[in-house]
Amino acid sequence: MRRRLAEITTAFLRDLTGRWGFTRRARLKLRDLVARSGPPRWEAARDDLSFRYLRGDGIEIGALNMPLRVPPSARVRYVDHASADELREIYAWELHIHGWPLVPPDVVDDGERLRKFEDESLDFVIANHMLEHVEDPIGALHHFLRVLRPGGILFLTLPDARRTFDGRRPRTTVEHLMGDHREGPEVSRREHYEEWARIIESLPEEQVPARVEAFATERPRHHFHVWELDTFLEFLIALQPPADLEAAQATEKEFAVILRKNPGKRWPEPG
Ligand SMILES: C[S@@+](CC[C@H](N)C(=O)[O-])C[C@H]1O[C@@H](n2cnc3c(N)ncnc32)[C@H](O)[C@@H]1O
């Protein structure tokens, strides 16, 4: 009797599987649930790259309230342009919406220049969602690579314009970045502020000039530049920094690029 019951059950299941792929669908659903129960993909990608590439002594510029998790073999000092109290004031809104505590900077320094850091003194530099706030990214990349030892790692993540509020903004061109570096970021500052007022704040045209004047006085650290993984890689290829591309990965909100300083390469002569 028990054997007969088992035979009927097996036949029933086989029938279900055959007709509707029931078991397969259940298995896929389960796999999906398991996959989604981990950290978000962007965080998992940051963790994975961090544990693969970071070790030794380094800095994270602009960790704010989201420091990168690093392996035990990596020692990090935190760098920001302002003290903890000032950052709490400037980023009150971001800190409030995330609810995560601020990481107090160990060193207050302009991350674009890193004047407090010697040449070739660090094993890694992390800058997550920082480079888009910088007016001259080429100058910043020069200094990131300057402070790295040969073989040191530059760990960058940037918001992917396709997935953020920057979506409607034009992607920053290589020519624009070269201009900001060669002639100084003042040449395009007003243009950035106008773009912000028009596209991000959607202000009516007659209010744009006053808003631009206010920005010119306040000097907010907007997203000056806008990239997605493709356009950032185009930028790097045009720039030819003295580094090798180790990894590049896009996730659901950002992209990561890992560069390793190559002592066998030199910055191209300014042309
Ligand atoms: C949007 S937050 C990034 C927070 C976090 N790292 C993340 O992954 O989301 C930008 C951070 O970069 C810092 N930052 C921007 N420009 C900087 C500069 N020139 N020097 C040092 N820190 C800077 C800001 O103060 C802030 O802490």
Side-chain angles (χ1 to χ4, degrees):
M1 174 66 189
R2 205 182 285 158
R3 196 154 141 221
R4 179 74 192 126
L5 199 61
E7 276 169 15
I8 292 171
T9 313
T10 311
F12 176 70
L13 282 177
R14 199 179 296 135
D15 196 30
L16 271 180
T17 312
R19 263 195 232 162
W20 299 303
F22 172 81
T23 317
R24 186 163 175 275
R25 257 188 291 155
R27 224 184 314 120
L28 286 177
K29 185 91 193 144
L30 189 65
R31 200 179 62 185
D32 205 29
L33 279 174
V34 170
R36 274 195 256 151
S37 64
R41 282 183 55 222
W42 64 271
E43 263 188 55
R46 282 190 191 190
D47 286 351
D48 174 47
L49 293 167
S50 164
F51 277 65
R52 270 162 62 194
Y53 288 106
L54 302 184
R55 48 194 53 81
D57 295 299
I59 54 173
E60 175 162 6
I61 310 169
L64 199 64
N65 57 348
M66 225 180 275
L68 183 71
R69 276 185 288 269
V70 294
S73 53
R75 292 163 297 277
V76 189
R77 275 179 297 160
Y78 295 98
V79 179
D80 216 302
H81 65 87
S83 68
D85 286 344
E86 289 164 328
L87 290 174
R88 275 193 199 96
E89 208 170 296
I90 303 168
Y91 295 100
W93 186 72
E94 284 85 345
L95 294 170
H96 171 73
I97 53 163
H98 290 137
W100 300 319
L102 176 88
V103 178
D106 299 304
V107 183
V108 174
D109 194 10
D110 178 5
E112 280 196 65
R113 295 284 167 268
L114 295 174
R115 288 188 185 89
K116 296 190 179 164
F117 294 88
E118 300 285 328
D119 295 359
E120 305 199 347
S121 57
L122 301 171
D123 297 306
F124 60 86
V125 171
I126 305 162
N128 288 333
H129 291 228
M130 182 265 176
L131 199 62
E132 71 279 11
H133 297 271
V134 157
E135 290 194 286
D136 172 15
I138 296 180
L141 286 169
H142 271 264
H143 288 285
F144 295 168
L145 288 167
R146 171 182 67 75
V147 300
L148 282 175
R149 295 193 178 109
I153 290 291
L154 177 55
F155 188 112
L156 298 172
T157 68
L158 291 113
D160 184 332
R162 296 168 301 173
R163 319 253 186 264
T164 69
F165 54 77
D166 282 329
R168 289 187 298 126
R169 293 175 68 186
R171 309 306 185 243
T172 305
T173 62
V174 175
E175 292 70 33
H176 174 106
L177 295 161
M178 299 281 186
D180 281 349
H181 185 57
R182 228 179 6 244
E183 289 149 49
E186 313 74 55
V187 292
S188 64
R189 191 172 288 148
R190 290 189 85 80
E191 193 189 308
H192 288 299
Y193 292 155
E194 281 169 9
E195 199 177 294
W196 194 270
R198 286 201 181 99
I199 302 182
I200 302 296
E201 298 190 337
S202 303
L203 289 184
E205 203 49 40
E206 63 276 14
Q207 291 178 23
V208 170
R211 192 68 174 140
V212 169
E213 284 314 314
F215 286 152
T217 313
E218 295 160 18
R219 302 280 304 275
R221 287 171 195 266
H222 286 150
H223 285 188
F224 284 102
H225 300 110
V226 181
W227 289 284
E228 45 192 79
L229 180 57
D230 279 14
T231 59
F232 193 78
L233 291 179
E234 273 168 27
F235 165 47
L236 287 181
I237 289 165
L239 193 62
Q240 296 179 47
D244 298 325
L245 181 64
E246 288 277 345
Q249 189 171 359
T251 58
E252 74 279 35
K253 72 162 206 169
E254 65 180 26
F255 59 85
V257 168
I258 309 295
L259 295 174
R260 187 186 294 281
K261 181 168 173 173
N262 180 339
K265 291 183 178 174
R266 291 274 167 269
W267 282 103
E269 292 297 320

